[in-house]
Amino acid sequence: MKLLPPTDALALSRVAGPPTAAWFARLDALLVMVDADQAAELAQLPFGAALERERARLAPRAGQCYLLTLPTRRGLRVVVGIRAARADAFQSLTLAARMVREIAAVRPATIGIAALAEEAAAPAAREALLAALLVATQGRPAEKRRAPPRWRPRIAVCGRADLRTTAAVESAAHLTRWLTQLPPNVLVPGTYRRALAALARRHRWRMQVYDERALRRQGAGAFLAVAHGSARRDAALVRLEYRPRRAGRGRSAAPIALVGKGLCFDTGGLNLKAPKSMLDMHGDMAGSAVAVGLLAALSALDYPDPVDAWLALAENRIGPASYTQQDVVTAANGTTIQVMHTDAEGRMVLADTLALVSRTRPACIIDFATLTGACVVALTERLSGVFTNEERLRDIVEGAGRRAGERVWNLPMPADFDEDLDSPVADVVQCLLDGKGDHIYATRFLSRFVAAGIPWLHVDLSAAERTGGLAHVPTPTTGFGVRFGTALLADPAFKRALGRRRTRR
């Protein structure tokens, strides 16, 4: 089974001007998204009278779509989606996925995309359709003797749309989903490192590996406590460095640090999970996959500022050397931790990772982790929780989620929660055992390992897995975080809020 997805790109093209009958004649399928308050404009298209008659007959509501076949030489299948007036990105992506499902079964060879919306909204509608099509044509890791043929249509977008950005972001999100779906006997820390080395060569990233010996020298006792349970001695902290290609484009600025939890499998340790809870724990490395995918998207888009990705790769296995409840371990910043539950391993590996990242004095730390079930209870799997130590980032972060169609919600992290994390034998307890507010307590725990003065965002990926998919992604593994992260880092307000910090050498 391949560690990385195929890299062949779909054939994309853009057509200027309004749709014409000649353009229609070259298509096997057409996707048209129209605003509910502009639906009458369907009549202006070639064959528009038929489209308008069908719309009037069916009277679809906003968020619905309908399919009909036009009498062209190829028998053109047209799917019309009715977009709510002033629909946000999530609504547009969700409608786009419904529209793509209408034609996916017949796998047309040539597909057109058009939008009839107010001028400011039309590009977003087209990009939503393109994103949904890109996702629908992507495969997943599989080892089948009779694998189904891949669907590789030609896609023509009529009108203005940012094809390059959409294609780059969806390709990166596909990488995130691919890595997250790999079986746990295929993606272990050692093979993960091989995949990262291949990506580093492809994208010209610098790669540093801190293996267990190096982590021991750094005093990373919390990370190593989790790793000790595995018979494989391949746990590591991996640093990937992206630097802008052109000199003078922020190369000397302090990098933004992306941190990803990379537990390639989580048994729960000696506090063993039940079978149903353990079934999908090969996806407990989703945070690291988000960081990798986001770095790949930024590289493809020639992001102007330096970015590092720090990936905490380990397994939470059971073995003679497994860490146990009531152990006291020392983290890289000298903080002593009383272990309360071996299934709270994510905050252990992240604690040392955040402490080591802080030593490099980044401009900002953004960590991604499938950390707590409590965040799923609080928000469901439809959006993810975010915590920050910088009040000025709260509105910026939620705005990026709205624009991306990957919604995040700011959650509180009051300092008085620290009182409940006091330990009689160490500086801090790892977690509480009753589960109440665990997403908040986990964040307060992690905050002890972020050095003072460094802006920090913690993203608890409650939306990493959702039965039935989410927005334009039909699979349970959503890849949530890549679209959000790209929108956030591209936001001028985010850059202004961080200011221009210089790396300390």
Side-chain angles (χ1 to χ4, degrees):
M1 189 175 293
K2 293 181 179 179
L3 290 171
L4 296 174
T7 56
D8 53 318
L10 286 173
L12 302 178
S13 61
R14 184 166 42 214
V15 180
T20 64
W23 183 61
F24 272 41
R26 293 193 294 269
L27 303 175
D28 299 303
L30 174 67
L31 305 176
V32 182
M33 190 177 288
V34 58
D35 279 358
D37 56 359
Q38 295 187 305
E41 293 191 7
L42 283 170
Q44 299 174 17
L45 294 174
F47 303 101
L51 299 176
E52 173 58 22
R53 279 196 304 272
E54 193 69 2
R55 184 192 68 83
R57 184 180 72 83
L58 296 172
R61 297 190 305 273
Q64 294 182 332
C65 61
Y66 62 92
L67 168 70
L68 73 160
T69 301
L70 295 179
T72 64
R73 181 170 55 87
R74 299 187 182 204
L76 177 63
R77 293 179 174 85
V78 181
V79 181
V80 179
I82 308 299
R83 181 175 179 263
R86 294 172 294 282
D88 61 20
F90 180 83
Q91 292 170 309
S92 296
L93 289 166
T94 302
L95 174 58
R98 292 182 182 131
M99 296 170 65
V100 170
R101 280 197 297 270
E102 292 286 342
I103 61 163
V106 296
R107 296 195 165 196
T110 303
I111 302 170
I113 290 174
L116 299 175
E118 56 181 288
E119 189 172 343
R126 296 186 191 100
E127 286 156 18
L129 287 167
L130 176 58
L133 264 178
L134 291 173
V135 171
T137 56
Q138 293 163 348
R140 60 161 295 164
E143 201 68 52
K144 286 177 165 287
R145 284 192 296 175
R146 296 182 180 178
R150 294 179 68 199
W151 180 29
R152 308 297 290 167
R154 295 182 299 277
I155 301 173
V157 181
C158 188
R160 180 168 58 88
D162 190 351
L163 303 187
R164 177 172 175 260
T165 297
T166 304
V169 171
E170 290 307 330
S171 175
H174 177 45
L175 169 63
T176 293
R177 288 188 290 271
W178 184 281
L179 291 170
T180 306
Q181 293 175 103
L182 286 169
N185 63 327
V186 174
L187 192 75
V188 299
T191 56
Y192 203 161
R193 283 155 58 180
R194 288 211 306 270
L196 295 173
L199 288 169
R201 289 191 295 271
R202 183 185 303 172
H203 294 289
R204 300 181 182 180
W205 300 332
R206 183 169 180 255
M207 178 173 170
Q208 291 178 275
V209 176
Y210 300 84
D211 61 12
E212 290 190 9
R213 181 179 298 180
L215 290 171
R216 200 169 293 113
R217 287 197 300 269
Q218 298 292 334
F223 192 120
L224 292 171
V226 175
H228 284 163
S230 175
R232 282 186 285 263
R233 304 265 53 92
D234 57 356
L237 176 60
V238 176
R239 180 183 185 179
L240 302 171
E241 299 179 12
Y242 161 79
R243 297 297 178 265
R245 295 182 186 180
R246 281 181 273 177
R249 294 183 68 197
R251 292 178 66 93
S252 62
I256 292 170
L258 310 175
V259 171
K261 173 189 169 187
L263 268 292
C264 295
F265 196 76
D266 177 20
T267 65
L270 293 181
N271 297 124
L272 192 67
K273 292 178 183 287
K276 186 176 180 181
S277 298
M278 201 191 303
L279 181 64
D280 293 323
M281 282 298 104
H282 61 292
D284 208 19
M285 39 61 66
S288 65
V290 171
V292 172
L294 179 50
L295 197 68
L298 297 172
S299 300
L301 296 172
D302 295 322
Y303 189 69
D305 296 313
V307 183
D308 291 347
W310 297 77
L311 314 172
L313 308 185
E315 293 177 300
N316 190 21
R317 295 278 187 176
I318 297 175
S322 294
Y323 80 132
T324 67
Q325 292 175 293
Q326 298 292 8
D327 282 355
V328 175
V329 300
T330 303
N333 68 348
T335 300
T336 55
I337 304 167
Q338 180 185 5
V339 176
M340 303 299 289
H341 200 298
T342 62
D343 198 19
E345 84 298 330
R347 67 201 73 185
M348 299 287 282
V349 298
L350 286 176
D352 275 331
T353 303
L354 291 170
L356 295 175
V357 172
S358 292
R359 293 178 185 176
T360 69
R361 304 305 300 180
C364 176
I365 298 175
I366 308 173
D367 80 69
F368 298 93
T370 48
L371 201 63
T372 68
C375 198
V376 177
V377 172
L379 298 176
T380 79
E381 301 95 341
R382 290 180 176 271
L383 65 169
S384 289
V386 65
F387 300 81
T388 181
N389 61 359
E390 291 284 352
E391 187 70 26
R392 66 183 184 271
L393 293 179
R394 292 172 65 89
D395 290 343
I396 295 171
V397 166
E398 288 191 3
R402 285 191 295 272
R403 292 192 304 278
E406 290 189 333
R407 299 168 297 179
V408 298
W409 191 258
N410 281 292
L411 292 166
M413 47 179 289
D416 60 282
F417 276 62
D418 290 349
E419 298 170 7
D420 298 331
L421 295 177
D422 285 342
S423 166
V425 297
D427 295 323
V428 64
V429 295
Q430 169 205 34
C431 65
L432 305 182
L433 294 181
D434 60 13
K436 291 187 296 187
D438 188 46
H439 50 317
I440 302 174
Y441 286 111
T443 306
R444 290 306 310 177
F445 174 85
L446 292 177
S447 71
R448 294 171 179 251
F449 304 91
V450 178
I454 300 177
W456 171 52
L457 296 173
H458 164 55
V459 185
D460 197 330
L461 291 168
S462 45
E465 291 277 337
R466 181 173 184 270
T467 302
L470 188 66
H472 63 307
V473 180
T475 59
T477 301
T478 64
F480 187 106
V482 175
R483 290 178 64 91
F484 158 69
T486 305
L488 178 64
L489 268 64
D491 189 346
F494 178 70
K495 296 184 179 183
R496 287 194 299 271
L498 295 184
R500 301 293 292 178
R501 298 168 57 88
R502 295 290 168 181
T503 306
R504 295 182 182 180
R505 297 294 183 185

